[in-house]
């Protein structure tokens, strides 16, 4: 089979999913690849320079390294694991005054609000209170069940849902401030932050004159131009068979993201519980096994794949297509639905 980027991607606050497989013998002899751990996952930037000269290769390597440093800088602003990050300070101030944040933080919070409104709250960065009671420990890409200490009670879920609601997130991009209106609210950018970081690095690389590259950060991937003399190729992971593919997709100047119920889950009493929450109920979504979106930006792909997974079926597929993107959905029953016009390749 033609070399692919094989990825199985994550959702909400999930850890990084199975990273793509790089193959250097792919028609791009001058390709430069830099890999570092950033945002708690593996970040990879691969650039195909216009020529393979030593000077151009050095320029590409420097650009890739700067891109990964930028992601690390954004992590310092957005991580809930860092006490002094913008998001940690915002969460501590919930119910109080607005917090001054960085320009990049205000921008990604504004993007999050737009996504929440467009999806009518199916996507919502204030989901974090639910993550306090739904905890899964499966290593990413394992396809193996993990420990879930206990299934939360209806009362526990209701109490967490009362603390969730994007309507309580206020953002003033011009003033660079953000506020959580109600005490107990929490923001977590795990479902959009990596996509926003990828989009920012894509803009940086384009601004430096590079047109053929791929940027991957955990569960988010953007492919620009071509991989040597052919398109970048991405494998759509099978949600039930580890290492197997549903198909291979050609990606050019677009982002690719897959969400599935197989990354972090537990099976209790014959029922599968996973980390992709339906905020309408507070329980794991049940309509899909996986959803893949091919969209204009990494943020768009992240939001659309999450929303399509939760909505599911033909309605989920139509939602993605209505946004000008394309999708592959696997229903709860295992039926595979493909958007017309999705650039599928022979395996």
């Amino acid at each position: 089979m033609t070399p692919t980027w094989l990825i199985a991607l994550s959702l909400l606050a999930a850890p990084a999913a199975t990273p793509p497989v790089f193959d250097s013998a792919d028609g791009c002899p001058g390709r430069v690849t830099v890999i570092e751990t950033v945002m708690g996952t593996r970040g990879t930037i691969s650039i195909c320079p216009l020529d393979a000269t030593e000077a151009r290769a050095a320029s590409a390597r420097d650009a890739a390294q700067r891109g990964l440093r930028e992601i690390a800088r954004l992590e310092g602003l957005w991580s809930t694991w860092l006490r002094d990050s913008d998001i940690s300070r915002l969460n501590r101030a919930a119910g109080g005054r607005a917090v001054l944040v960085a320009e990049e933080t205000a921008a990604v919070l504004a993007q999050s609000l737009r996504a929440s409104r467009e999806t009518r709250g199916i996507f919502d960065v204030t989901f974090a209170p639910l993550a306090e009671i739904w905890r899964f420990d499966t290593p990413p890409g394992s396809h193996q069940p993990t420990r879930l200490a206990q299934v939360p009670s209806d009362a526990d879920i209701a109490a967490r849902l009362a603390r969730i609601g994007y309507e309580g997130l206020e953002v003033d991009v011009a003033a660079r401030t953000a506020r959580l209106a109600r005490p107990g609210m929490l923001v977590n950018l795990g479902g959009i932050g990596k996509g926003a970081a990828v989009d920012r690095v894509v803009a940086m690389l384009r601004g430096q004159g590079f047109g053929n590259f791929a940027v991957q950060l955990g569960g988010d991937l953007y492919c620009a131009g071509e991989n040597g003399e052919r398109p970048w190729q991405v494998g759509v992971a099978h949600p039930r068979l580890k290492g197997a593919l549903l198909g291979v997709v050609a990606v050019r100047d677009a982002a690719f993201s897959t969400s599935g119920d197989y990354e972090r889950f537990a099976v209790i009493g014959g029922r599968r519980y996973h980390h992709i929450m339906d905020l309408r109920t507070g329980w794991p979504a049940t309509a899909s096994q996986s959803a893949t979106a091919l969209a204009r930006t990494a943020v768009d792909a992240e939001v659309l794949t999450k929303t399509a997974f939760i909505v599911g079926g033909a309605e989920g597929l139509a939602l993605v297509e209505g946004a000008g993107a394309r999708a592959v959905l696997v229903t709860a029953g295992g039926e595979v639905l493909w958007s017309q016009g999705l650039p599928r390749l022979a395996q």
Side-chain angles (χ1 to χ4, degrees):
M1 184 179 74
T2 302
T4 65
W5 282 44
L6 173 59
I7 54 178
L9 307 179
S10 61
L11 182 60
L12 294 182
T18 305
V21 175
F22 285 86
D23 185 340
S24 59
D26 59 0
C28 182
R31 188 167 79 178
V32 171
T33 298
V34 178
I35 303 172
E36 292 182 10
T37 298
V38 283
M39 286 193 174
T41 188
R42 189 169 87 162
T44 306
I45 298 178
S46 186
I47 301 175
C48 287
L50 295 176
D51 58 67
T53 65
E54 181 177 355
R56 188 61 175 171
S59 174
R61 183 168 300 278
D62 181 64
Q65 290 171 339
R66 286 200 303 271
L68 291 170
R69 286 197 297 271
E70 175 64 7
I71 293 172
R73 186 183 73 84
L74 295 174
E75 179 181 12
L77 298 175
W78 299 344
S79 174
T80 56
W81 295 100
L82 300 175
R83 177 175 174 78
D84 293 329
S85 73
D86 284 352
I87 300 304
S88 292
R89 292 188 299 105
L90 173 63
N91 287 341
R92 286 198 302 273
R97 295 182 177 180
V99 173
L100 184 66
V101 297
E103 177 182 354
E104 298 86 350
T105 304
V108 73
L109 288 173
Q111 284 182 302
S112 300
L113 274 179
R114 285 194 296 272
S116 295
R117 292 174 183 136
E118 290 169 358
T119 63
R120 299 181 181 180
I122 293 176
F123 175 89
D124 190 334
V125 292
T126 70
F127 76 91
L130 270 180
E132 296 175 336
I133 55 175
W134 289 102
R135 293 182 177 275
F136 302 87
D137 302 321
T138 305
S142 70
H143 283 62
Q144 298 297 317
T146 186
R147 182 182 64 83
L148 175 65
Q150 63 181 11
V151 176
S153 68
D154 290 338
D156 284 341
I157 291 172
R160 295 312 192 280
L161 287 175
R163 295 162 51 191
I164 295 172
Y166 68 90
E167 300 90 347
L169 173 60
E170 303 168 4
V171 183
D172 187 328
V173 174
R176 294 191 306 149
T177 61
R179 178 176 179 266
L180 292 171
R182 303 191 307 275
M185 291 187 70
L186 297 170
V187 162
N188 188 303
L189 295 178
I192 196 171
K194 289 184 177 67
V198 168
D199 286 338
R200 186 169 180 86
V201 173
V202 168
M204 289 175 59
L205 293 175
R206 290 197 187 283
Q208 294 169 63
F210 294 102
N212 302 296
F213 58 84
V215 180
Q216 183 261 337
L217 181 60
D220 298 282
L221 170 68
Y222 186 95
C223 298
E226 295 186 342
N227 182 23
E229 298 178 353
R230 59 173 174 255
W232 297 97
Q233 299 174 46
V234 184
V236 182
H238 194 293
R240 291 294 180 266
L241 301 176
K242 182 180 180 182
L245 296 178
L246 294 173
V248 179
V249 177
V251 181
R252 179 189 175 96
D253 297 327
F256 182 96
S257 179
T258 298
S259 297
D261 66 1
Y262 50 86
E263 287 291 337
R264 294 166 60 200
F265 70 97
V267 178
I268 301 175
R271 179 176 176 179
R272 178 182 291 251
Y273 299 92
H274 56 84
H275 70 287
I276 306 172
M277 295 293 118
D278 186 341
L279 299 184
R280 297 170 297 186
T281 65
W283 289 81
T286 60
S288 309
Q289 293 182 12
S290 70
T292 296
L294 184 68
R296 183 179 60 86
T297 69
V299 163
D300 288 346
E302 270 206 284
V303 172
L304 289 171
T305 189
K306 294 166 176 57
T307 306
F309 180 95
I310 294 167
V311 173
E315 184 180 355
L317 193 71
L319 183 150
V320 174
E321 293 172 344
R326 286 163 288 182
V328 183
L329 268 74
V330 182
T331 68
E335 182 183 6
V336 182
L337 307 176
W338 290 79
S339 286
Q340 290 188 351
L342 195 68
R344 299 166 64 179
L345 303 173
Q347 290 180 249

